[in-house]
Amino acid sequence: MNPFFYCILISFFAIPLTFGQEVDSPQRELGHTNQNKFRQLYDEFATPNSYRTASGAPGVDYFQQKVDYIMDIELDDENTKLYGHQTITYTNNSPDQLPYLWVQLDQNIRKKDSPALEKNGSGVDPILTSGQFVATYLKEPFDGGFNIEYVKDLEGNDLPYTINMTMMRIDLPNPIASKGQFQFQIKWWYNINNHVENRARSGYEYFPEDDNRAYVIAQFFPRLCVYDDVEGWQNMQFWGNGEFALQFGDYQVNITVPSDHILEATGELQNPRQVLTSKQHKRYRDAQKSFDQPVFIVNEEEARENESQVSDKKSTWKFVANNVRDFAFATSRKFIWEMQAVEIGGNTVMAVSLYPKEGNPLWEEYSTKAVLQTLKTFSKHTFDYPYPKAVSVHARNQGMEYPMICWNYGRPDRNGEYSERIKYGMISVIIHEIGHNFFPMIVNADERQWGWMDEGLDTFMQYVTEQEFGKVYPQSIGDLDSYPSRRGKPADIVPYMSGDQSFLAPIMSNPENVYQLGPNAYGKPATALNILRETVMGRELFDHAFKTYAQRWMFKHPTPEDFFRTMEDASAVDLDWFWRGWFYTTDYVDIGVKEVKTYRVSATPGQNAIELLSNYGMTIEDLPPNYNIFIVPEEDSTSDETIPSVEDYIQENNLDPETLSNPKYIYEIAFEKPGGLVMPLIVEYTYEDGTTENVTYPVQVWRKNDDLVYKRVISDQAIVNITVDPHLETADIDPSNNSWPKQEIKTDLERFREGSQ
């Protein structure tokens, strides 16, 4: 049915479609629930309450617990063991009484009988590297995991506890009352793993050339689980992929290491005079005022000399960190140490890099620059970075984040040479891991349950930062038009979204339960947010809403719904269709041109009008006298037809004749949507004189027909080409139907096959 005539009839008759003579009724189909892509997310969302509001903001009764730690840690470098004693103050800000506490023992995933080691299938691999073969068939499993020596109250009384895999329940003598506190202590030790062997999140790397180790230590102490209004106790086991849910608190940490080690950690160093030489201490103070270039507290020459000998003395580095959710540190006698000051929101923040000589010349050129740019860009789009420093530590095959400190890969070969791939990989991972200071170290989402809430948001901001990095440091990208980001551009997610549905999961899935965690939790949500910013909302609305979310939930625990609701609340853009499609399904984008028809204005009805009226039991004679203009298919028109005059109508309505003209070309274009995702319809029209017109039809064009949409185009020139999504803004997986006249689009596989013949 021609939609043009349909509108005429409906507007004239304003009656049901059954008006007129009786017609045979088709067999009725069964009813159905609302499956419209634009329905609201009421079924998916929790009911707003006094803890979390419908606007996406914290409610009047929002609460979160506080956990403070005082720790004494000692590293046994010779035997690769870590010893710790900690005193914990738990403050119960919830309205509930707590008869027990749940503590995370993440190191237990390294126990040689850990169930996490058997969580995946393990068939026989026909091809292995030497290292894989040794690790799989020849080597004894690593004997890791916490050895808990005791759990006591402050008076020295034993507290009963039960360990279940990576969780420990401590039973209390009396429940902690609402607004009450409880203090206790734990003593423990464990064997430190070689993180290079299985790409673990923490551990050491051994350097046989100089018989030294570089330690990156995290998840190293028993940490309290989150207790909140959403989960109660978030005590989901740590299986390896789902990261961490942690409480904010204040830390006092004393770390004892060999006296020739250089150490960085979460928090501010309290005793630099005691652990640094006089030369190092002067440089350390100078760095606090160096805003133009880094200051080397330890340079490469000094690091080389330092790693050539071993001290039998010890030093204790003392750190204080307030309002952080975790603590980590890195230490080695191999480290080069550089710092540069940057002003963020009126405060001085130290951008710090820590790396062995094996990282140069790459690290001394780019690491601190990447830290600086990340702090500036993220602060501009969220909130001013509130911590005193941000540290980038080099570690082989690493990419892991903690408050104020992170581990990052990117190593030249033995000759100091590196490829562009290595360079951009290193810069990108530093931006990504430093960016995690914002998500989730401050906007503290539950990573154990929703991996995308930190990884996806951070990867999106990583993309924004990378593009700014390329502009601030143009020499870093050379002749490229922009920084070669690996994730964020819509076209880059197409291979994943067009893949086998058996191996896809919605973004709203637990990280342990997806096949392809990288695209699922990093790439797809980052791309979705980039599309939301550039194509759906526009930068101004998006940036305001995104910043509102970040500032509402800094130093708090948001849920996915808090994010979704805030983005709508702060922008007045209904996005339920977007969240449902991109985050709750594995649907993909596929929109194309199905058909193009040309029409003419005529005084004689065409076959299309006759058929339309026939459907209503009517003929041309049944039309009122003023219905005397017909839009007919081009093949039905004749060149000598007289176009009916509309002069009387123009005069009656006081229209300016000079602004009116008879349309030369009338097109009816049918756009199809084989894909499941609704998206704005972005179209480029090319006319016979070579000019182009770009039109974006709002996503709501699909609200009543999820498969097919007609659009009328009136032009003084003939259209010679129509292209859907001409600039690849929507992650459309099938370009073969995006053009009219249809163009042959070869896939990457087809081009590869042609090239190999």
Side-chain angles (χ1 to χ4, degrees):
M1 180 183 297
N2 186 309
F4 182 78
F5 283 101
Y6 173 80
C7 293
I8 291 178
L9 288 174
I10 294 300
S11 62
F12 176 71
F13 293 112
I15 55 175
L17 294 179
T18 55
F19 174 84
Q21 298 179 3
E22 292 185 5
V23 295
D24 292 337
S25 297
Q27 184 177 355
R28 295 186 184 277
E29 296 181 357
L30 296 175
H32 59 275
T33 59
N34 185 1
Q35 297 299 309
N36 190 288
K37 298 291 178 61
F38 293 87
R39 70 190 186 279
Q40 297 298 288
L41 282 166
Y42 295 132
D43 292 341
E44 290 83 356
F45 281 4
T47 303
N49 52 48
S50 61
Y51 301 115
R52 298 169 191 272
T53 68
S55 69
V60 294
D61 292 326
Y62 175 82
F63 72 87
Q64 62 190 40
Q65 313 293 61
K66 187 173 188 288
V67 188
D68 302 323
Y69 298 85
I70 299 175
M71 293 193 287
D72 291 297
I73 307 299
E74 181 165 357
L75 170 70
D76 180 348
D77 183 26
E78 183 178 355
N79 298 299
T80 60
K81 297 180 184 294
L82 195 69
Y83 297 88
H85 176 275
Q86 60 198 65
T87 299
I88 302 170
T89 301
Y90 188 92
T91 302
N92 179 18
N93 292 317
S94 80
D96 308 319
Q97 289 189 339
L98 301 179
Y100 46 77
L101 300 174
W102 279 104
V103 178
Q104 303 182 52
L105 302 179
D106 300 305
Q107 286 295 326
N108 282 1
I109 201 173
R110 306 195 204 289
K111 285 184 174 292
K112 57 185 177 182
D113 60 350
S114 169
L117 299 175
E118 299 295 342
K119 70 175 183 177
N120 297 322
S122 55
V124 174
D125 296 314
I127 304 175
L128 295 169
T129 66
S130 298
Q132 289 171 332
F133 176 76
V134 170
T136 303
Y137 292 95
L138 304 182
K139 198 169 185 179
E140 283 293 318
F142 177 72
D143 186 16
F146 280 109
N147 297 276
I148 304 296
E149 294 195 10
Y150 62 70
V151 180
K152 298 177 180 290
D153 64 18
L154 292 193
E155 286 70 42
N157 300 309
D158 289 333
L159 295 174
Y161 61 88
T162 301
I163 295 177
N164 176 16
M165 293 172 54
T166 61
M167 291 291 164
M168 177 170 69
R169 189 188 71 240
I170 300 175
D171 297 320
L172 306 177
N174 297 294
I176 308 175
S178 177
K179 311 305 179 186
Q181 282 188 341
F182 183 73
Q183 293 182 299
F184 62 103
Q185 51 188 326
I186 306 176
K187 187 177 182 182
W188 50 267
W189 68 273
Y190 69 81
N191 294 315
I192 305 174
N193 60 299
N194 183 332
H195 72 73
V196 177
E197 293 182 349
N198 57 2
R199 300 200 65 174
R201 298 173 190 270
S202 69
Y204 67 82
E205 176 184 0
Y206 178 65
F207 295 83
E209 297 87 350
D210 49 63
D211 191 27
N212 277 299
R213 297 178 183 85
Y215 294 87
V216 286
I217 303 297
Q219 292 89 251
F220 68 90
F221 60 100
R223 305 178 294 175
L224 266 295
C225 296
V226 168
Y227 183 86
D228 65 13
D229 61 290
V230 179
E231 296 277 349
W233 283 109
Q234 170 47 295
N235 53 10
M236 184 181 295
Q237 295 288 343
F238 180 46
W239 290 92
N241 288 335
E243 291 182 322
F244 312 108
L246 298 164
Q247 300 282 188
F248 287 107
D250 300 333
Y251 287 72
Q252 298 177 40
V253 184
N254 305 318
I255 309 171
T256 300
V257 297
S259 60
D260 52 0
H261 272 216
I262 295 298
L263 189 149
E264 264 290 8
T266 301
E268 294 185 273
L269 180 61
Q270 302 298 295
N271 61 336
R273 287 186 180 273
Q274 285 70 47
V275 295
L276 303 179
T277 66
S278 57
K279 181 187 294 186
Q280 291 169 349
H281 186 254
K282 181 182 183 303
R283 294 170 178 173
Y284 183 84
R285 286 184 299 157
D286 291 343
Q288 317 298 313
K289 301 176 183 179
S290 176
F291 292 89
D292 298 326
Q293 61 184 3
V295 171
F296 284 86
I297 290 83
V298 178
N299 60 36
E300 181 171 338
E301 180 182 355
E302 292 163 337
R304 285 178 178 272
E305 181 180 352
N306 201 34
E307 71 180 15
S308 66
Q309 52 193 350
V310 176
S311 172
D312 58 0
K313 298 180 181 180
K314 297 179 181 180
S315 296
T316 298
W317 298 60
K318 299 181 179 182
F319 291 87
V320 169
N322 294 322
N323 208 16
V324 295
R325 64 169 230 162
D326 200 0
F327 191 98
F329 68 94
T331 182
S332 177
R333 59 180 56 86
K334 292 178 61 67
F335 281 148
I336 300 164
W337 192 14
E338 63 174 91
M339 294 182 177
Q340 182 175 340
V342 58
E343 183 177 332
I344 302 291
N347 295 319
T348 297
V349 177
M350 299 309 299
V352 185
S353 294
L354 198 67
Y355 50 94
K357 67 180 187 298
E358 285 79 7
N360 272 339
L362 186 57
W363 271 68
E364 65 183 8
E365 176 65 26
Y366 291 110
S367 176
T368 302
K369 290 185 177 71
V371 176
L372 290 167
Q373 191 59 49
T374 305
L375 294 175
K376 293 176 182 178
T377 301
F378 273 69
S379 294
K380 179 174 68 175
H381 288 275
T382 57
F383 43 76
D384 292 334
Y385 184 70
Y387 291 138
K389 68 181 180 184
V391 185
S392 168
V393 182
H394 173 71
R396 183 178 174 185
N397 294 338
Q398 281 286 349
M400 197 58 209
E401 69 279 358
Y402 306 95
M404 305 185 215
I405 192 167
C406 57
W407 334 136
N408 305 301
Y409 60 75
R411 182 173 296 179
D413 63 22
R414 291 180 178 273
N415 297 318
E417 297 179 353
Y418 54 87
S419 65
E420 291 292 279
R421 177 176 171 272
I422 294 293
K423 180 184 79 172
Y424 291 123
M426 187 208 79
I427 296 171
S428 291
V429 76
I430 293 174
I431 290 172
H432 182 90
E433 306 305 342
I434 292 290
H436 270 307
N437 277 287
F438 295 80
F439 307 99
M441 301 305 152
I442 296 171
V443 182
N444 189 10
D446 179 359
E447 303 173 87
R448 188 63 52 88
Q449 179 62 40
W450 305 115
W452 70 268
M453 284 198 74
D454 71 300
E455 300 299 355
L457 270 61
D458 184 42
T459 304
F460 160 71
M461 279 303 305
Q462 172 192 337
Y463 173 79
V464 175
T465 304
E466 287 169 347
Q467 298 310 306
E468 293 195 6
F469 184 91
K471 295 174 182 177
V472 174
Y473 303 104
Q475 70 278 7
S476 70
I477 62 172
D479 297 331
L480 299 177
D481 294 331
S482 61
Y483 188 97
S485 297
R486 187 164 67 96
R487 291 172 171 144
K489 295 180 181 178
D492 294 338
I493 201 64
V494 166
Y496 171 70
M497 294 184 69
S498 60
D500 185 343
Q501 286 285 331
S502 302
F503 296 95
L504 301 182
I507 293 173
M508 290 291 290
S509 299
N510 186 279
E512 296 294 347
N513 302 331
V514 298
Y515 280 99
Q516 304 174 71
L517 185 59
N520 177 274
Y522 296 68
K524 186 179 176 183
T527 304
L529 294 178
N530 192 31
I531 290 173
L532 200 58
R533 182 177 190 242
E534 302 291 349
T535 302
V536 176
M537 298 175 69
R539 291 189 177 184
E540 183 177 358
L541 286 176
F542 179 95
D543 288 352
H544 173 74
F546 192 78
K547 179 177 284 191
T548 299
Y549 165 74
Q551 294 183 354
R552 277 181 177 178
W553 289 97
M554 61 185 301
F555 297 114
K556 294 182 176 67
H557 302 280
T559 67
E561 295 161 30
D562 297 322
F563 175 66
F564 297 150
R565 284 172 163 151
T566 295
M567 292 299 292
E568 296 190 27
D569 178 72
S571 68
V573 180
D574 186 352
L575 295 170
D576 283 22
W577 61 272
F578 189 87
W579 310 131
R580 173 179 286 107
W582 279 88
F583 286 77
Y584 286 87
T585 78
T586 59
D587 284 343
Y588 50 82
V589 181
D590 184 9
I591 299 173
V593 184
K594 183 176 184 180
E595 189 177 31
V596 177
K597 291 184 178 180
T598 307
Y599 289 83
R600 295 285 184 266
V601 181
S602 174
T604 304
Q607 188 62 31
N608 56 341
I610 295 171
E611 292 177 357
L612 176 63
L613 291 171
S614 176
N615 290 336
Y616 289 86
M618 301 170 63
T619 66
I620 296 297
E621 287 72 21
D622 294 320
L623 288 174
N626 60 328
Y627 277 85
N628 57 358
I629 300 176
F630 300 93
I631 310 297
V632 302
E634 188 172 40
E635 59 269 20
D636 290 354
S637 65
T638 57
S639 58
D640 58 352
E641 283 190 277
T642 301
I643 306 301
S645 173
V646 293
E647 292 180 0
D648 293 342
Y649 180 84
I650 293 173
Q651 293 176 0
E652 291 172 2
N653 291 274
N654 296 318
L655 300 179
D656 183 1
E658 294 184 1
T659 65
L660 306 173
S661 61
N662 284 330
K664 294 182 180 179
Y665 296 94
I666 299 174
Y667 295 95
E668 178 188 85
I669 306 164
F671 296 99
E672 62 179 349
K673 190 178 70 61
L677 286 183
V678 291
M679 290 292 286
L681 179 56
I682 305 171
V683 186
E684 181 179 86
Y685 298 104
T686 302
Y687 298 98
E688 58 186 343
D689 67 349
T691 61
T692 59
E693 179 186 17
N694 286 273
V695 179
T696 298
Y697 302 105
V699 67
Q700 284 75 17
V701 297
W702 305 106
R703 73 194 188 283
K704 293 183 179 180
N705 190 328
D706 195 42
D707 300 314
L708 196 64
V709 165
Y710 292 90
K711 278 295 175 182
R712 179 178 63 248
V713 177
I714 301 172
S715 172
D716 288 334
Q717 293 193 65
I719 294 176
V720 297
N721 185 265
I722 300 171
T723 304
V724 171
D725 193 16
H727 304 297
L728 306 179
E729 298 176 65
T730 67
D732 192 314
I733 71 162
D734 182 11
S736 68
N737 61 354
N738 284 27
S739 298
W740 176 88
K742 187 172 183 178
Q743 300 177 3
E744 182 182 358
I745 305 294
K746 294 181 179 179
T747 66
D748 292 339
L749 179 60
E750 289 172 333
R751 287 192 291 269
F752 173 78
R753 286 174 174 170
E754 288 180 355
S756 62
Q757 290 177 354

